[in-house]
């Protein structure tokens, strides 16, 4: 079976205030063409379909159109990520047209979408929605207390993902016991797996100060279609036993660059072929279209207005001007040269270091920023107990946003 793996569309997202919906539509056009031309039999979308829990109407319409066109050529399986609202994305999923499967309920974790290729052999797709430990650790509980109430799992991403994978392996084992043919298996998961390389634009998913899941949790399946990290990347699976190669773990990454930290990433969609013994050959990373490049240009204003800036005039750029003194009409002159400039900074070469407590960007850890503020106001760094309170407050805000 030929499967196309994609994720992190973030429909409705903006980049420094610039609407990206038209560029996202170009990617989805490309995806439909790819599914048709590459004889893809199934498309799996591993979370963060929308950029926020309540997406704009135009983003909802774009998704509806994309699912309609994709399902005309292949089976489509979609799960929510940490940006999506599982309830909203999964609403009326049972009423969707044949060929579109939206799996948003934790209760369905061990129940696969069963796909069959032209040879009739089944491929089982276990579509795991984003598993927020604070939300699902009771629902995925495996033990009861003395009064018969579910005993919550530990408050960690590793604990809830491990519990979900135990359900997956139990279902696989039960099916294999009575099967006369080998079954291919895919797990879709939206998580930060140990060894992945993050970017600035992924929303923090830490709980208890930890955001990661060990790769070894995913043992027992053929392919793990990962979402959450925006750079396409293959992860190493730790060998469990002699001769056991384990599953192939792959992030497809986002289709567009959503921060300047992603400007050097080569965006792609992943085509994987599954046979009786698992993944066949090498994964194929098909480059995504690049509607407009992201770049950073650094130098004196004179250089940037001259030859140094010439290759980037039509790019989305972050312009860093290094003149010792701030040039007159800096912003207007930069915008005249670079009509698509998204950020302009003045960083004098050899100048005094900027006070880090006053610099807040998407790249800064929110807890670091808060701790800096406490130190700035009180003159003393927060204690471990105070940091724990700040961390819990921050995580509560994240949980409230995800459940909105």
């Amino acid at each position: 079976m030929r499967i196309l793996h994609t994720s992190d569309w973030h429909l409705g997202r903006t980049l420094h205030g610039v609407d990206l919906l038209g560029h996202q539509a170009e990617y989805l056009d490309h995806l439909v063409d790819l599914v048709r031309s590459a004889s893809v039999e199934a498309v799996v979308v591993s979370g963060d379909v929308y950029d926020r829990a309540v997406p704009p109407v135009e983003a909802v319409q774009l998704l509806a159109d994309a699912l309609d066109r994709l399902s005309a050529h292949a089976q489509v399986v979609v799960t929510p990520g940490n940006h999506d609202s599982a309830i909203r994305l999964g609403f009326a999923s049972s009423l969707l047209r044949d060929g579109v499967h939206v799996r948003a309920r934790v209760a369905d974790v061990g129940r696969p979408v069963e796909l069959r290729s032209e040879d009739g052999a089944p491929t089982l797709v276990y579509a795991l929605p984003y598993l927020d430990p604070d939300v699902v650790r009771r629902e995925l509980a495996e033990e009861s207390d003395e009064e018969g109430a579910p005993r919550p799992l530990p408050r960690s991403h590793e604990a809830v993902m491990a519990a979900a994978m135990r359900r997956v392996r139990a279902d696989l084992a039960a099916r294999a016991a009575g099967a006369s043919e080998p079954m291919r298996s895919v797990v879709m998961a939206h998580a930060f797996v140990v060894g992945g390389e993050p970017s600035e634009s992924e929303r923090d998913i830490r709980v208890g100060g930890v955001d990661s899941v060990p790769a070894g949790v995913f043992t027992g399946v053929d392919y793990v279609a990962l979402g959450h990290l925006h750079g396409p990347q293959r992860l190493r699976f730790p060998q469990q036993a002699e001769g056991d190669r384990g599953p192939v773990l792959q992030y497809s990454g986002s289709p567009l660059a959503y921060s300047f930290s992603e400007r050097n990433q080569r965006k792609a969609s992943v085509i994987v072929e599954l046979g009786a013994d698992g993944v066949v050959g090498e994964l194929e990373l098909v480059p995504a279209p690049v509607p407009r490049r992201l770049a950073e240009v650094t130098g004196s204003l004179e250089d940037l207005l001259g030859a140094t800036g010439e290759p980037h005039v039509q790019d989305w750029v972050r312009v860093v001007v290094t003149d010792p003194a701030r040039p007159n009409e800096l912003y207007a002159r930069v915008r005249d040269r670079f009509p698509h400039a998204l950020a302009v900074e003045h960083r004098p070469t050899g100048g005094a270091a900027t006070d880090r407590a006053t610099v807040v960007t998407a790249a800064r850890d929110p807890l670091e920023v808060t701790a800096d503020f406490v130190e700035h106001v009180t003159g003393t760094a927060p204690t471990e107990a105070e940091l724990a309170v700040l961390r819990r407050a921050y995580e509560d805000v994240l949980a409230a946003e995800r459940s909105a």
Side-chain angles (χ1 to χ4, degrees):
M1 173 169 278
R2 285 173 65 78
I3 295 174
L4 188 147
H5 165 206
T6 177
S7 71
D8 295 274
W9 294 354
H10 289 280
L11 300 182
R13 189 166 190 145
T14 61
L15 178 66
H16 288 261
V18 176
D19 185 359
L20 297 177
L21 208 61
H23 292 175
Q24 292 169 331
E26 287 185 43
Y27 169 74
L28 294 175
D29 288 342
H30 154 80
L31 209 60
V32 173
D33 290 341
L34 179 60
V35 167
R36 184 171 56 245
S37 64
S39 301
V40 168
E41 296 169 85
V43 178
V44 297
V45 189
S46 298
D48 282 354
V49 179
Y50 294 128
D51 188 56
R52 52 186 183 269
V54 184
V57 171
E58 295 81 6
V60 176
Q61 292 171 334
L62 182 58
L63 176 62
D65 177 68
L67 294 180
D68 183 57
R69 292 191 293 153
L70 287 169
S71 62
H73 306 285
Q75 298 282 308
V76 183
V77 187
V78 181
T79 55
N82 58 298
H83 278 249
D84 301 302
S85 163
I87 294 174
R88 289 185 174 88
L89 189 64
F91 173 72
S93 59
S94 62
L95 303 179
L96 294 174
R97 64 176 289 173
D98 289 344
V100 178
H101 312 270
V102 178
R103 287 298 177 86
R105 301 192 318 141
V106 177
D108 292 330
V109 156
R111 184 171 67 87
V113 176
E114 186 171 337
L115 307 178
R116 290 192 177 268
S117 58
E118 291 183 358
D119 64 6
T123 297
L124 304 177
V125 179
Y126 294 89
L128 313 184
Y130 170 67
L131 300 174
D132 183 337
D134 285 337
V135 176
V136 307
R137 66 196 190 104
R138 288 172 177 79
E139 191 168 353
L140 291 176
E142 298 165 311
E143 299 177 356
S144 300
D145 60 21
E146 294 77 6
E147 298 177 357
R151 190 187 303 278
L153 294 165
R155 187 172 175 258
S156 74
H157 288 278
E158 179 179 357
V160 297
M161 188 63 76
M165 284 303 301
R166 284 192 286 273
R167 292 192 182 191
V168 168
R169 286 190 291 271
D171 184 79
L172 271 172
R175 291 170 183 270
S180 58
E181 54 189 351
M183 290 177 294
R184 301 167 287 214
S185 56
V186 175
V187 163
M188 299 166 61
H190 196 88
F192 184 2
V193 180
V194 173
E197 183 67 32
S199 306
E200 290 179 359
S201 55
E202 296 110 4
R203 181 179 292 174
D204 189 0
I205 60 171
R206 282 174 297 179
V207 169
V210 179
D211 59 3
S212 58
V213 174
V217 164
F218 295 99
T219 187
V221 297
D222 295 319
Y223 182 73
V224 182
L226 292 169
H228 182 56
L229 300 187
H230 288 183
Q233 51 197 293
R234 173 89 169 264
L235 300 186
R236 188 180 68 84
F237 183 79
Q239 188 173 6
Q240 304 290 301
E242 188 67 31
D244 178 16
R245 64 176 184 174
V248 173
L249 291 87
Q250 176 75 33
Y251 280 102
S252 63
S254 60
L256 299 174
Y258 291 125
S259 70
F260 280 100
S261 68
E262 300 176 37
R263 65 185 182 275
N264 295 322
Q265 293 176 356
R266 301 183 65 181
K267 302 299 187 179
S269 306
V270 182
I271 295 181
V272 55
E273 186 164 346
L274 290 179
D277 297 322
V279 175
V280 177
E282 293 297 318
L283 304 181
E284 180 183 357
L285 269 65
V286 181
V290 183
R292 192 180 301 281
R293 293 187 306 170
L294 257 69
E296 180 175 284
V297 290
T298 303
S300 68
L301 184 59
E302 181 180 356
D303 289 343
L304 297 180
L305 298 181
T308 300
E310 184 62 35
H312 303 289
V313 168
Q314 294 304 317
D315 294 347
W316 277 322
V317 290
R318 177 165 60 193
V319 179
V320 180
V321 177
T322 59
D323 298 63
R326 183 182 178 88
N328 292 330
E329 299 181 335
L330 172 61
Y331 187 77
R333 294 165 72 185
V334 167
R335 285 304 302 264
D336 186 59
R337 173 62 164 167
F338 303 100
H340 304 289
L342 299 180
V344 182
E345 299 178 23
H346 178 226
R347 285 191 220 151
T349 300
T354 304
D355 179 5
R356 66 189 289 267
T358 65
V359 179
V360 180
T361 70
R364 286 291 306 279
D365 182 338
L367 290 174
E368 245 183 50
V369 174
T370 310
D372 284 349
F373 177 75
V374 171
E375 184 172 1
H376 174 73
V377 171
T378 66
T380 306
T383 65
E384 285 300 318
E386 290 169 335
L387 284 173
V389 172
L390 293 173
R391 181 179 298 113
R392 182 68 203 205
Y394 173 55
E395 291 171 357
D396 286 347
V397 171
L398 289 181
E401 287 181 353
R402 288 194 286 266
S403 62

